[in-house]
Amino acid sequence: MEDKTMHGIGRRIQKCREDAKMTQEQLAEKVGISWNYLGAIERETKTPKLETLIKIVNALGVSADDVLLDVIDVGLKARCTKLEERIRNLPEKEQKKVLRIIDVLIEEAEK
């Protein structure tokens, strides 16, 4: 991917694919592309057309936000929301640990 604004999409597609326990071959077949092309998208050496990106997102059963978090301006808000959801799903003891760590990181960043 030559356009820097697209960096991160391939990595996110790969993560979503792995989370879905799919191989490149399985996803490529569902989308109707070659696994070589999917591999190039994941390595970020090729940029998918919008139509292909939509097919990938639908085949993975994820939201576009999951794939575009790193490239859209509101991505940070969406990422914060996803992190909040993940923290909420932890047991209370683990939630407190994570929140203490985040507090320390924020305090350091504000110095």
Side-chain angles (χ1 to χ4, degrees):
M1 293 185 180
E2 295 154 2
D3 186 352
K4 297 252 187 230
T5 62
M6 299 299 282
H7 282 325
I9 290 177
R11 189 173 19 119
R12 288 217 170 262
I13 288 171
Q14 180 179 9
K15 182 184 181 324
C16 290
R17 176 182 58 75
E18 290 170 350
D19 289 349
K21 308 261 189 277
M22 293 175 75
T23 65
Q24 282 184 337
E25 292 83 2
Q26 291 168 327
L27 179 57
E29 185 176 330
K30 283 182 93 171
V31 174
I33 60 176
S34 73
W35 65 269
N36 286 330
Y37 181 52
L38 178 60
I41 291 170
E42 289 184 356
R43 289 188 307 277
E44 300 186 344
T45 58
K46 297 279 185 184
T47 303
K49 292 181 182 178
L50 180 58
E51 178 183 320
T52 303
L53 182 60
I54 291 169
K55 287 179 181 179
I56 290 170
V57 167
N58 286 333
L60 289 169
V62 298
S63 74
D65 286 349
D66 291 326
V67 173
L68 300 175
L69 278 176
D70 295 327
V71 297
I72 55 175
D73 290 337
V74 295
L76 287 178
K77 288 181 186 177
R79 183 179 286 165
C80 289
T81 301
K82 287 201 172 288
L83 285 172
E84 182 182 356
E85 287 174 28
R86 289 177 66 194
I87 292 168
R88 249 188 272 123
N89 289 331
L90 293 171
E92 186 176 338
K93 184 177 178 182
E94 297 304 313
Q95 286 181 24
K96 288 178 181 180
K97 283 183 193 177
V98 170
L99 292 173
R100 275 196 308 267
I101 292 168
I102 292 171
D103 281 337
V104 169
L105 291 171
I106 292 171
E107 287 171 11
E108 288 298 312
E110 291 175 339
K111 287 183 179 180

